[in-house]
mmCIF file of all heavy atoms in Angstrom:
data_model
loop_
_atom_site.group_PDB
_atom_site.id
_atom_site.type_symbol
_atom_site.label_atom_id
_atom_site.label_comp_id
_atom_site.label_asym_id
_atom_site.label_seq_id
_atom_site.Cartn_x
_atom_site.Cartn_y
_atom_site.Cartn_z
ATOM 1 N N MET C 1 97.671 71.155 155.350
ATOM 2 C CA MET C 1 97.958 72.182 156.364
ATOM 3 C C MET C 1 96.683 72.460 157.164
ATOM 4 O O MET C 1 95.599 72.599 156.580
ATOM 5 C CB MET C 1 98.410 73.466 155.639
ATOM 6 C CG MET C 1 99.146 74.434 156.536
ATOM 7 S SD MET C 1 99.422 75.996 155.706
ATOM 8 C CE MET C 1 100.701 75.562 154.547
ATOM 9 N N ALA C 5 97.377 76.720 161.122
ATOM 10 C CA ALA C 5 98.694 76.990 160.533
ATOM 11 C C ALA C 5 98.546 77.941 159.349
ATOM 12 O O ALA C 5 99.369 78.849 159.160
ATOM 13 C CB ALA C 5 99.325 75.679 160.082
ATOM 14 N N ARG C 6 97.480 77.727 158.554
ATOM 15 C CA ARG C 6 97.280 78.586 157.384
ATOM 16 C C ARG C 6 97.057 80.033 157.827
ATOM 17 O O ARG C 6 97.590 80.965 157.245
ATOM 18 C CB ARG C 6 96.081 78.080 156.576
ATOM 19 C CG ARG C 6 96.042 78.649 155.177
ATOM 20 C CD ARG C 6 94.975 77.993 154.321
ATOM 21 N NE ARG C 6 95.113 76.547 154.274
ATOM 22 C CZ ARG C 6 94.064 75.695 154.253
ATOM 23 N NH1 ARG C 6 92.835 76.160 154.258
ATOM 24 N NH2 ARG C 6 94.259 74.404 154.205
ATOM 25 N N LYS C 7 96.254 80.175 158.904
ATOM 26 C CA LYS C 7 95.978 81.531 159.400
ATOM 27 C C LYS C 7 97.259 82.219 159.873
ATOM 28 O O LYS C 7 97.490 83.389 159.608
ATOM 29 C CB LYS C 7 94.960 81.467 160.545
ATOM 30 C CG LYS C 7 93.531 81.620 160.054
ATOM 31 C CD LYS C 7 92.578 81.819 161.210
ATOM 32 C CE LYS C 7 91.139 81.583 160.761
ATOM 33 N NZ LYS C 7 90.352 80.879 161.763
ATOM 34 N N ARG C 8 98.096 81.404 160.589
ATOM 35 C CA ARG C 8 99.348 81.983 161.087
ATOM 36 C C ARG C 8 100.228 82.421 159.912
ATOM 37 O O ARG C 8 100.827 83.485 159.921
ATOM 38 C CB ARG C 8 100.098 80.955 161.944
ATOM 39 C CG ARG C 8 99.599 80.946 163.400
ATOM 40 C CD ARG C 8 100.614 80.288 164.325
ATOM 41 N NE ARG C 8 100.912 78.918 163.965
ATOM 42 C CZ ARG C 8 100.123 77.884 164.302
ATOM 43 N NH1 ARG C 8 99.011 78.078 164.990
ATOM 44 N NH2 ARG C 8 100.452 76.656 163.949
ATOM 45 N N LEU C 9 100.253 81.576 158.857
ATOM 46 C CA LEU C 9 101.056 81.895 157.674
ATOM 47 C C LEU C 9 100.541 83.165 157.003
ATOM 48 O O LEU C 9 101.311 84.028 156.595
ATOM 49 C CB LEU C 9 100.991 80.733 156.678
ATOM 50 C CG LEU C 9 102.253 79.882 156.538
ATOM 51 C CD1 LEU C 9 102.043 78.854 155.446
ATOM 52 C CD2 LEU C 9 103.469 80.741 156.230
ATOM 53 N N LEU C 10 99.194 83.252 156.898
ATOM 54 C CA LEU C 10 98.595 84.420 156.257
ATOM 55 C C LEU C 10 98.960 85.690 157.012
ATOM 56 O O LEU C 10 99.233 86.730 156.418
ATOM 57 C CB LEU C 10 97.073 84.265 156.208
ATOM 58 C CG LEU C 10 96.525 83.632 154.930
ATOM 59 C CD1 LEU C 10 95.020 83.483 155.010
ATOM 60 C CD2 LEU C 10 96.916 84.478 153.713
ATOM 61 N N LYS C 11 98.983 85.576 158.362
ATOM 62 C CA LYS C 11 99.336 86.740 159.181
ATOM 63 C C LYS C 11 100.780 87.155 158.898
ATOM 64 O O LYS C 11 101.121 88.327 158.925
ATOM 65 C CB LYS C 11 99.195 86.384 160.663
ATOM 66 C CG LYS C 11 97.866 86.815 161.247
ATOM 67 C CD LYS C 11 97.909 86.647 162.747
ATOM 68 C CE LYS C 11 96.512 86.495 163.302
ATOM 69 N NZ LYS C 11 96.517 85.784 164.583
ATOM 70 N N LEU C 12 101.613 86.145 158.646
ATOM 71 C CA LEU C 12 103.033 86.426 158.408
ATOM 72 C C LEU C 12 103.293 86.989 157.011
ATOM 73 O O LEU C 12 104.322 87.614 156.775
ATOM 74 C CB LEU C 12 103.843 85.134 158.581
ATOM 75 C CG LEU C 12 104.354 84.846 159.991
ATOM 76 C CD1 LEU C 12 105.102 83.530 160.002
ATOM 77 C CD2 LEU C 12 105.281 85.963 160.463
ATOM 78 N N ALA C 13 102.338 86.764 156.077
ATOM 79 C CA ALA C 13 102.584 87.106 154.672
ATOM 80 C C ALA C 13 103.060 88.544 154.471
ATOM 81 O O ALA C 13 104.067 88.766 153.782
ATOM 82 C CB ALA C 13 101.348 86.807 153.838
ATOM 83 N N PRO C 14 102.372 89.558 155.076
ATOM 84 C CA PRO C 14 102.835 90.931 154.839
ATOM 85 C C PRO C 14 104.263 91.141 155.360
ATOM 86 O O PRO C 14 105.076 91.815 154.702
ATOM 87 C CB PRO C 14 101.857 91.797 155.641
ATOM 88 C CG PRO C 14 100.731 90.922 156.024
ATOM 89 C CD PRO C 14 101.189 89.503 155.952
ATOM 90 N N VAL C 15 104.571 90.540 156.506
ATOM 91 C CA VAL C 15 105.919 90.690 157.076
ATOM 92 C C VAL C 15 106.942 90.079 156.124
ATOM 93 O O VAL C 15 107.982 90.674 155.806
ATOM 94 C CB VAL C 15 105.994 90.000 158.455
ATOM 95 C CG1 VAL C 15 107.400 90.140 159.034
ATOM 96 C CG2 VAL C 15 104.959 90.583 159.396
ATOM 97 N N MET C 16 106.618 88.856 155.640
ATOM 98 C CA MET C 16 107.551 88.174 154.744
ATOM 99 C C MET C 16 107.755 88.958 153.455
ATOM 100 O O MET C 16 108.879 89.076 152.944
ATOM 101 C CB MET C 16 107.064 86.747 154.441
ATOM 102 C CG MET C 16 107.487 85.804 155.548
ATOM 103 S SD MET C 16 106.555 84.283 155.778
ATOM 104 C CE MET C 16 106.035 83.769 154.225
ATOM 105 N N THR C 17 106.657 89.520 152.932
ATOM 106 C CA THR C 17 106.760 90.315 151.706
ATOM 107 C C THR C 17 107.679 91.514 151.945
ATOM 108 O O THR C 17 108.547 91.821 151.121
ATOM 109 C CB THR C 17 105.369 90.814 151.263
ATOM 110 O OG1 THR C 17 104.477 89.710 151.304
ATOM 111 C CG2 THR C 17 105.405 91.395 149.875
ATOM 112 N N ALA C 18 107.487 92.175 153.093
ATOM 113 C CA ALA C 18 108.301 93.351 153.403
ATOM 114 C C ALA C 18 109.780 92.971 153.515
ATOM 115 O O ALA C 18 110.647 93.648 152.960
ATOM 116 C CB ALA C 18 107.814 93.988 154.702
ATOM 117 N N VAL C 19 110.051 91.848 154.212
ATOM 118 C CA VAL C 19 111.442 91.399 154.376
ATOM 119 C C VAL C 19 112.073 91.130 153.007
ATOM 120 O O VAL C 19 113.198 91.534 152.715
ATOM 121 C CB VAL C 19 111.497 90.132 155.260
ATOM 122 C CG1 VAL C 19 112.882 89.487 155.190
ATOM 123 C CG2 VAL C 19 111.149 90.470 156.700
ATOM 124 N N LEU C 20 111.280 90.459 152.131
ATOM 125 C CA LEU C 20 111.767 90.124 150.796
ATOM 126 C C LEU C 20 112.113 91.386 150.012
ATOM 127 O O LEU C 20 113.165 91.488 149.372
ATOM 128 C CB LEU C 20 110.683 89.324 150.073
ATOM 129 C CG LEU C 20 111.177 88.414 148.976
ATOM 130 C CD1 LEU C 20 111.852 87.200 149.600
ATOM 131 C CD2 LEU C 20 110.020 87.955 148.094
ATOM 132 N N LEU C 21 111.205 92.391 150.086
ATOM 133 C CA LEU C 21 111.421 93.636 149.346
ATOM 134 C C LEU C 21 112.666 94.352 149.853
ATOM 135 O O LEU C 21 113.488 94.832 149.070
ATOM 136 C CB LEU C 21 110.200 94.549 149.487
ATOM 137 C CG LEU C 21 109.012 94.184 148.597
ATOM 138 C CD1 LEU C 21 107.811 95.055 148.921
ATOM 139 C CD2 LEU C 21 109.387 94.346 147.121
ATOM 140 N N VAL C 22 112.807 94.405 151.176
ATOM 141 C CA VAL C 22 113.974 95.079 151.752
ATOM 142 C C VAL C 22 115.252 94.337 151.369
ATOM 143 O O VAL C 22 116.245 94.934 150.950
ATOM 144 C CB VAL C 22 113.831 95.181 153.293
ATOM 145 C CG1 VAL C 22 115.132 95.688 153.902
ATOM 146 C CG2 VAL C 22 112.687 96.124 153.646
ATOM 147 N N ALA C 23 115.202 92.979 151.463
ATOM 148 C CA ALA C 23 116.376 92.175 151.132
ATOM 149 C C ALA C 23 116.754 92.359 149.664
ATOM 150 O O ALA C 23 117.935 92.476 149.322
ATOM 151 C CB ALA C 23 116.109 90.702 151.429
ATOM 152 N N ALA C 24 115.755 92.434 148.778
ATOM 153 C CA ALA C 24 116.032 92.607 147.350
ATOM 154 C C ALA C 24 116.717 93.946 147.119
ATOM 155 O O ALA C 24 117.553 94.086 146.235
ATOM 156 C CB ALA C 24 114.737 92.517 146.548
ATOM 157 N N GLY C 25 116.365 94.932 147.941
ATOM 158 C CA GLY C 25 116.955 96.256 147.815
ATOM 159 C C GLY C 25 118.437 96.263 148.170
ATOM 160 O O GLY C 25 119.177 97.162 147.791
#
Side-chain angles (χ1 to χ4, degrees):
M1 199 189 287
R6 196 172 305 143
K7 268 191 196 141
R8 276 199 301 279
L9 252 184
L10 267 178
K11 263 190 204 156
L12 271 179
V15 179
M16 277 157 34
T17 312
V19 168
L20 205 74
L21 281 174
V22 171

